[in-house]
Amino acid sequence: MSETLNALLIEDSEDDALLTLRELKRGGFNVVWERVETAATVRDALLRRTWDIVLSDYNLPASFNAPMALEIVKQINPNLPFIVISGTIGEASAVELMRQGANDYLMKGSLTRLTEVVRRELREAEIRLERKQSVEMLRQLNETLEEKVQARTADLKSSESRLREAQQIAHLGSWELDVQTRENSWSSEIFRIFKLDPDCPEPNYEELLTYFPTDDRKRFLHLIDRTIQIGETFETDLQIIRTDGSLGYIFVKAEAIANEGGQITRLFGIIMDISDRKLAELQLQHTNEELMRATRLKDEFLASMSHELRTPLNVILGMTEGLQDGVFGAVSDRQIKALKTVENSGHHLLSLINDILDVAKIESGQMILDLSATSVQNLCKSSIIFISQQAQRKQIRIIEQIPQNLPDIILDERRIRQVLINLLNNAIKFTDVGGSITLAVSLLSGEEYGEKSFLRFAVQDTGIGIAPENIKKLFQPFIQIDSALNRKFEGTGLGLALVKRIMELHEGSVSLTSELGVGSCFTIELPCGNAVLPTPKPESQPSPVSHLQPIPSTPLAPPLLLLAEDNEANIATISSYLGAKGYRIIVAKDGQEAIALAKSDHPDLILMDVQMPVMDGLEATRQIRLDPIFANIPIIALTALAMEGDRDRCLAAGANEYISKPIKLKQLALLIQELL
């Protein structure tokens, strides 16, 4: 169940506020929030309701900034956690904010610690409140006791008895230490905390110290000496060793008491047993460490499975492509048809692998959106082109209802295209021959939608329809409605689960209306408050090269390529194809051998596999780039990992380009030709 968080956002950018809210929701919070951006609205919001935390940008409109906001917050609620999230704050400004009372600061664009910081501040605020309540209770009790002493009333003993009872109810123990004699006295509650026999005499000061482990004993003595010297009040958490050998935790607060001449003569303090809470915190910490370890193991498993599954697929698809291109000799039309079937099945298997990895990445919070301004027209056209051949085979008519001059919208174009293609593919799969599919786009705004506008994509088909009781199952991973042994339609049940997760990452939604025998309509809605006017495009664009140009014939030897790869099947596939294209190939089977061959043979280009024995491809690339002779040699990284951030790691190591396996050999040959 999500934890409700009342968050006040002091932020002038709606986009930045939405990013912060999305990170909090991803961390498990059900956020009740309000966005304000001026001193007046901040003060009004603080007085109007109770908040758990304040998240503030540094620079705000109308000469208003985080220090001013912090001052207002501390005036109204000094204990309210205040966290600064900014992209411009310098170290000096951050330190000054912390000195003034801010609890922490984070940089925009890197909010992965936000959930951790918020949970930590909420826990500390709860602890501070408990301590404040305990100290206030003790203060009130002490005031009552002091009044009784000053009045010298006859019922002094009765008052002291009531005080002890109140301390026992609050699980508070009081203690007193004479500075000169080091004699101490304890209340009866402290006997319970340390599990002492109540009939035994009070332990003296030296015996008291034996109940603390060495480090905590030294800290306790240091705090006592400091309090005696300068008269400060101290409070701290300490570990104790009870008389039965068990470990516990206590909260200790003490203050110095001076005589009429101002000389400190004694210390008076309280002790609270916080063992249960401390043990719960330690258990939570242990659980978090186990969860982090499990997440790390899952990431390693996903990376390993990605490599292990893609490596044989690379050989299957590569060999199939080479056979169709005649690299291994002439093939008949009948064999070409069979090879097409193998290729289509291989690409289908690759799409299933990608779906499984995508679902796993989203569930673990590792999928990061690549947001940019996107043309809605181009997005829809490219999605329809992708499924047009399937529609033609079933004689299904595609109807487009896409208005002109729609604004560009900020989104992850690749992921939303993945959503549209998934919905269009499903519509084709479940629509009979001769049916129709409609892709309609509309812009929604008005009072019923509040301050935001939404862009709606609707995919309507004339297919078999879905029963109402099955609609809820559709968006759950690995669940199919037609799951019997004689099921008619293939699939893993992951597609619509991916659609739902991707829309949630975009703060959007997906819905469905359907009628059996009539058809279905899947609708996705994306917030477009951040829409921008479409950028003018040139009237004509040069068409991309779609075929391999022949290697220019020169009196020089053909280009020499160094292939660093440890898998024999991949070596055979890539070498055969590129050899047939006129390249000379030398092979290294680990990173060290690749470095040696690069220095001895001076290849014109290097194909570097990432995962290899002895030395991996990233380290080999770094070592090659250290030699000035090879500073400009093209290096293409080849990897079967295909996980988030792999491309950036390869380019950072020194690679010019990155290709994930399974490799399209034509694409590889084009890239080699371009780099040479």
Side-chain angles (χ1 to χ4, degrees):
M1 183 177 292
S2 299
E3 178 182 352
T4 300
L5 175 70
N6 295 305
L8 179 62
L9 306 184
I10 305 177
E11 172 65 72
D12 60 324
S13 168
E14 183 178 359
D15 290 346
D16 288 345
L18 291 175
L19 287 174
T20 300
L21 291 171
R22 185 176 63 199
E23 188 63 28
L24 290 171
K25 291 179 180 178
R26 185 181 299 165
F29 287 109
N30 177 23
V31 186
V32 178
W33 62 284
E34 181 174 344
R35 183 172 69 87
V36 294
E37 57 185 64
T38 65
T41 55
V42 169
R43 189 180 299 276
D44 176 68
L46 289 168
L47 293 174
R48 183 163 23 88
R49 64 174 299 165
T50 301
W51 302 98
D52 297 325
I53 200 162
V54 175
L55 305 172
S56 175
D57 193 2
Y58 190 84
N59 293 316
L60 297 159
S63 301
F64 184 54
N65 58 21
M68 299 177 186
L70 177 60
E71 183 177 358
I72 295 173
V73 171
K74 292 305 177 184
Q75 286 175 353
I76 296 176
N77 187 350
N79 297 316
L80 186 60
F82 188 96
I83 299 174
V84 180
I85 303 176
S86 177
T88 59
I89 185 171
E91 182 177 355
S93 300
V95 171
E96 180 60 20
L97 271 171
M98 299 290 284
R99 189 189 65 78
Q100 293 175 4
N103 297 79
D104 207 336
Y105 73 95
L106 298 169
M107 298 300 292
K108 288 182 178 178
S110 179
L111 296 178
T112 55
R113 291 182 53 243
L114 179 59
T115 299
E116 172 191 344
V117 169
V118 169
R119 290 192 185 281
R120 183 196 68 206
E121 293 304 327
L122 292 177
R123 286 197 304 269
E124 291 183 359
E126 181 182 1
I127 292 171
R128 286 194 297 271
L129 179 61
E130 290 178 359
R131 290 176 176 174
K132 181 179 178 182
Q133 292 173 342
S134 300
V135 172
E136 179 62 20
M137 182 182 296
L138 178 64
R139 186 186 64 79
Q140 294 175 0
L141 292 172
N142 287 339
E143 286 179 356
T144 301
L145 180 60
E146 192 66 24
E147 290 173 1
K148 296 300 181 181
V149 171
Q150 291 176 355
R152 300 180 184 276
T153 59
D155 60 345
L156 178 60
K157 292 183 179 180
S158 176
S159 297
E160 290 176 345
S161 175
R162 287 197 298 271
L163 173 61
R164 286 193 296 271
E165 291 175 0
Q167 289 176 338
Q168 290 174 356
I169 293 172
H171 299 293
L172 287 173
S174 61
W175 58 277
E176 196 169 346
L177 176 67
D178 189 294
V179 171
Q180 299 298 325
T181 65
R182 297 288 172 164
E183 293 180 354
N184 58 274
S185 60
W186 295 11
S187 68
S188 59
E189 182 64 16
I190 292 183
F191 281 78
R192 186 197 65 80
I193 293 173
F194 285 84
K195 293 190 175 179
L196 295 169
D197 186 347
D199 296 329
C200 292
E202 292 182 355
N204 57 36
Y205 182 69
E206 297 299 328
E207 187 178 351
L208 167 68
L209 297 177
T210 64
Y211 297 129
F212 297 95
T214 303
D215 291 342
D216 289 61
R217 183 190 311 144
K218 290 179 179 178
R219 184 153 57 93
F220 187 41
L221 287 172
H222 171 74
L223 292 171
I224 286 178
D225 291 341
R226 181 178 175 83
T227 302
I228 292 173
Q229 291 172 8
I230 60 179
E232 284 187 349
T233 297
F234 78 81
E235 58 182 63
T236 187
D237 294 345
L238 295 169
Q239 190 178 53
I240 61 171
I241 305 173
R242 302 186 182 99
T243 55
D244 62 358
S246 62
L247 297 179
Y249 295 88
I250 58 173
F251 165 71
V252 181
K253 181 178 177 67
E255 62 179 349
I257 299 175
N259 58 19
E260 294 179 356
Q263 181 182 9
I264 295 174
T265 59
R266 59 195 178 99
L267 298 182
F268 180 80
I270 61 166
I271 291 179
M272 176 189 291
D273 188 350
I274 59 170
S275 299
D276 291 343
R277 188 182 74 213
K278 205 71 173 179
L279 290 173
E281 291 175 359
L282 292 174
Q283 181 62 39
L284 178 62
Q285 179 182 349
H286 176 71
T287 302
N288 288 337
E289 290 172 353
E290 288 297 314
L291 288 173
M292 291 175 64
R293 177 177 175 274
T295 300
R296 186 177 67 255
L297 290 175
K298 184 171 71 172
D299 294 344
E300 293 172 357
F301 173 77
L302 286 175
S304 174
M305 289 308 299
S306 173
H307 179 270
E308 295 301 324
L309 292 170
R310 288 171 184 271
T311 296
L313 263 180
N314 183 63
V315 177
I316 294 170
L317 293 175
M319 285 290 189
T320 305
E321 187 177 357
L323 286 167
Q324 292 181 81
D325 286 354
V327 170
F328 303 104
V331 292
S332 66
D333 291 342
R334 185 179 179 185
Q335 290 168 329
I336 287 287
K337 185 177 180 181
L339 289 171
K340 280 288 184 185
T341 302
V342 174
E343 184 179 37
N344 291 337
S345 297
H347 283 296
H348 179 64
L349 179 58
L350 177 61
S351 69
L352 298 182
I353 294 170
N354 290 335
D355 281 351
I356 292 171
L357 293 175
D358 279 346
V359 168
K361 283 191 287 187
I362 293 176
E363 293 295 342
S364 62
Q366 292 181 343
M367 181 173 285
I368 300 174
L369 299 180
D370 181 15
L371 301 174
S372 61
T374 302
S375 165
V376 177
Q377 286 277 350
N378 292 345
L379 175 64
C380 294
K381 293 289 185 184
S382 62
S383 301
I384 290 173
I385 288 172
F386 190 90
I387 54 92
S388 58
Q389 289 186 355
Q390 298 166 259
Q392 288 173 7
R393 282 196 295 268
K394 294 184 69 174
Q395 301 175 11
I396 293 174
R397 187 162 58 104
I398 304 295
I399 303 170
E400 301 177 28
Q401 296 179 357
I402 308 170
Q404 299 295 321
N405 301 321
L406 284 171
D408 289 0
I409 182 173
I410 304 296
L411 47 75
D412 187 325
E413 182 175 0
R414 182 169 71 92
R415 293 300 179 186
I416 297 302
R417 183 182 292 109
Q418 183 180 2
V419 167
L420 290 177
I421 290 173
N422 198 303
L423 296 179
L424 290 167
N425 265 327
N426 276 355
I428 291 173
K429 183 193 301 184
F430 296 104
T431 299
D432 292 332
V433 174
S436 66
I437 295 171
T438 302
L439 174 59
V441 183
S442 56
L443 189 62
L444 309 177
S445 60
E447 294 182 359
E448 65 270 32
Y449 301 103
E451 297 180 357
K452 290 185 179 180
S453 297
F454 289 86
L455 196 64
R456 173 182 288 172
F457 299 79
V459 178
Q460 175 83 49
D461 64 55
T462 58
I464 60 176
I466 303 165
E469 64 270 16
N470 290 326
I471 289 179
K472 291 188 293 184
K473 304 176 184 177
L474 283 176
F475 298 99
Q476 300 177 32
F478 306 106
I479 291 181
Q480 294 176 290
I481 296 172
D482 182 22
S483 58
L485 292 177
N486 62 347
R487 65 192 181 99
K488 179 181 177 182
F489 303 101
E490 64 179 17
T492 61
L494 285 174
L496 291 177
L498 265 176
V499 168
K500 183 174 184 290
R501 302 294 195 278
I502 291 172
M503 294 307 300
E504 289 172 348
L505 287 176
H506 280 82
E507 302 291 336
S509 63
V510 58
S511 59
L512 166 65
T513 57
S514 184
E515 184 178 348
L516 280 174
V518 177
S520 303
C521 180
F522 284 87
T523 302
I524 62 171
E525 292 184 359
L526 289 164
C528 58
N530 50 11
V532 296
L533 293 176
T535 54
K537 295 178 173 55
E539 294 182 1
S540 63
Q541 297 275 358
S543 59
V545 177
S546 60
H547 59 277
L548 278 174
Q549 303 295 331
I551 300 172
S553 59
T554 68
L556 300 177
L560 177 64
L561 308 183
L562 168 57
L563 172 61
E565 169 67 69
D566 64 313
N567 184 278
E568 292 292 346
N570 282 336
I571 292 173
T573 303
I574 297 173
S575 298
S576 300
Y577 188 88
L578 296 179
K581 297 300 179 183
Y583 295 105
R584 293 179 296 146
I585 311 292
I586 55 175
V587 177
K589 295 188 177 180
D590 60 62
Q592 285 187 354
E593 188 179 353
I595 296 172
L597 285 177
K599 293 181 178 180
S600 62
D601 290 35
H602 294 273
D604 298 295
L605 181 142
I606 299 175
L607 300 173
M608 184 72 73
D609 188 27
V610 171
Q611 281 196 316
M612 291 188 295
V614 184
M615 178 187 293
D616 64 61
L618 296 182
E619 182 59 30
T621 301
R622 295 188 192 99
Q623 295 293 331
I624 290 172
R625 288 300 190 206
L626 291 176
D627 192 332
I629 297 176
F630 303 114
N632 296 318
I633 184 173
I635 299 178
I636 301 175
L638 311 175
T639 177
L641 293 178
M643 300 297 285
E644 197 77 41
D646 284 341
R647 176 181 177 83
D648 293 336
R649 283 190 288 273
C650 292
L651 298 182
N656 299 81
E657 290 291 345
Y658 162 97
I659 296 181
S660 62
K661 297 177 183 177
I663 298 166
K664 292 185 178 179
L665 295 177
K666 288 182 182 178
Q667 177 189 356
L668 176 61
L670 278 170
L671 182 58
I672 292 172
Q673 181 175 304
E674 179 184 343
L675 291 175
L676 289 177

